[in-house]
Amino acid sequence: MPDVIDHRPNRQPPSQPKRDPAPSRLQYRLERMWLRPIWRRAVRVGVPAFLAAMTAGLWLSDPDRRALLTDGVQQIMTKVQSREEFQVRIMTVEGASPVVDKALRAMLPVDLPASSFDIDLTALRLQVMQLDVIESIDLRIKPGGILSAVVKEREPAILWRHARGIEILDKTGHRVASVTARDVRPDLPLIAGEGADLAVPEALALIDAAGPILPRVRGLVRRGERRWDLVLDHGQRIMLPAQGALIAMEAAIALDRAQDMLGRDIAVVDLRNPSRPVMRLGIDARNTIRQARGEPILGPDGKVIQEDDRKGG
């Protein structure tokens, strides 16, 4: 049987349109933005933080809620600060004189026992350091509720007499205290004059160099805020130079040992020019010379006493 040939045209089913794998423009831009760390951080952290802040702001917008929250926080803080382990019960002071000890205890901002949170150690330290007698202080709260204060007081080294009174200074020239009279501390050497407090180390070195004649030393006087005069008993004075005062002092001591210079009737030893020392005789020595020359004698003020004045006296 012959094959039957179908001459009808082939009819294929309509093909489906192919789906484009490329993302849309909006999706592409969103994906590009998501690749940036700043956007990922903003979405993961910024958005939750913003929502939390907005919620908290809305909740705190009510005055009653704010007052309730404040009271609650304050009660918690008070309860924590009032715990036994935070209580300071006693204060110990080491290295202080009785007067300073009493002053330190009076500076405490609260009465003991008190919470350690009520004691500002930094502010207390600054307040204590305003006392001239205090050189340093170590403040700390130790276990057991002890407020420890270790004090180092300034050591009095010299007295400074000036127009406003007499003050005790330490070896650096820092003020320690005031005194009403020289007799309060007779054990300390005396300096006088404006600006003498700025040269205390030099003054102490000069006094130390004057060891052999120290019992006769009455003090040092600052002249012109640049040099010293060493004042001795019997009105004697050694005028020292502005530069090399210590060397000049040692030279004067050596000369006194060799020739008993200061044991004679000499009023002033002028060493301001070390290469040309000058000595000024006392009134008695000068009158002896004047009498030998047949000249009128001098009075205590250094003026010539006329013959009429002596007869009238």
Side-chain angles (χ1 to χ4, degrees):
M1 184 174 180
D3 294 334
V4 178
I5 300 175
D6 187 3
H7 295 283
R8 290 179 299 177
N10 294 330
R11 292 185 179 183
Q12 298 178 355
S15 60
Q16 296 291 333
K18 293 183 178 180
R19 184 177 178 276
D20 189 359
S24 65
R25 181 172 298 180
L26 176 61
Q27 183 180 0
Y28 173 77
R29 290 184 176 180
L30 291 176
E31 291 178 354
R32 292 291 298 176
M33 290 174 59
W34 188 251
L35 292 176
R36 298 181 180 180
I38 187 172
W39 287 105
R40 294 201 303 270
R41 193 177 298 112
V43 173
R44 294 173 179 174
V45 179
V47 172
F50 173 76
L51 293 177
M54 184 176 63
T55 303
L58 292 175
W59 190 85
L60 292 174
S61 61
D62 187 352
D64 296 335
R65 292 173 181 170
R66 289 200 304 270
L68 183 63
L69 178 62
T70 303
D71 293 341
V73 172
Q74 187 63 38
Q75 290 177 4
I76 294 175
M77 291 180 60
T78 302
K79 184 178 296 185
V80 172
Q81 294 177 5
S82 301
R83 293 175 63 91
E84 182 67 23
E85 53 267 30
F86 297 128
Q87 293 296 305
V88 178
R89 300 191 175 280
I90 60 174
M91 179 180 183
T92 60
V93 181
E94 300 177 17
S97 61
V99 175
V100 176
D101 187 306
K102 184 177 179 180
L104 290 179
R105 296 180 187 277
M107 288 182 179
L108 280 178
V110 293
D111 295 330
L112 300 182
S115 173
S116 60
F117 292 93
D118 296 331
I119 303 175
D120 189 343
L121 294 182
T122 302
L124 181 59
R125 183 179 293 108
L126 293 176
Q127 185 179 2
V128 171
M129 289 303 297
Q130 293 180 1
L131 297 176
D132 291 323
V133 71
I134 301 297
E135 181 176 353
S136 64
I137 183 170
D138 180 24
L139 286 172
R140 63 183 62 190
I141 297 177
K142 294 183 177 181
I146 302 174
L147 174 59
S148 172
V150 181
V151 179
K152 182 180 180 182
E153 296 187 13
R154 299 184 184 275
E155 293 291 336
I158 203 165
L159 290 177
W160 174 39
R161 185 195 301 274
H162 52 90
R164 298 172 297 278
I166 303 177
E167 294 181 358
I168 302 177
L169 308 179
D170 68 356
K171 62 182 180 181
T172 65
H174 193 284
R175 180 181 179 276
V176 176
S178 297
V179 294
T180 56
R182 172 74 174 91
D183 297 338
V184 175
R185 291 299 302 266
D187 57 312
L188 297 179
L190 177 68
I191 58 176
E194 294 299 325
D197 59 320
L198 303 178
V200 169
E202 183 184 24
L204 292 174
L206 291 174
I207 292 173
D208 184 63
I213 60 172
L214 193 58
R216 296 188 56 194
V217 174
R218 294 296 174 262
L220 284 166
V221 179
R222 192 69 169 168
R223 296 295 185 182
E225 299 187 15
R226 54 185 297 271
R227 67 172 195 84
W228 294 101
D229 280 358
L230 181 69
V231 181
L232 306 176
D233 57 1
H234 309 307
Q236 287 184 322
R237 184 181 298 260
I238 301 177
M239 304 173 69
L240 300 172
Q243 303 294 331
L246 186 59
I247 297 177
M249 173 65 75
E250 293 173 349
I253 298 299
L255 189 60
D256 178 62
R257 283 180 173 177
Q259 302 182 10
D260 191 24
M261 176 184 65
L262 299 177
R264 302 179 182 184
D265 189 13
I266 296 176
V268 176
V269 180
D270 189 348
L271 300 177
R272 289 177 293 180
N273 185 356
S275 61
R276 297 184 60 184
V278 177
M279 300 182 187
R280 188 183 306 166
L281 297 177
I283 294 295
D284 293 339
R286 293 167 65 185
N287 282 335
T288 301
I289 296 174
R290 293 179 70 87
Q291 286 178 348
R293 295 176 178 176
E295 299 175 353
I297 63 174
L298 304 176
D301 57 357
K303 296 182 180 181
V304 176
I305 300 178
Q306 302 297 332
E307 188 69 23
D308 296 339
D309 296 337
R310 284 189 290 175
K311 290 180 180 180

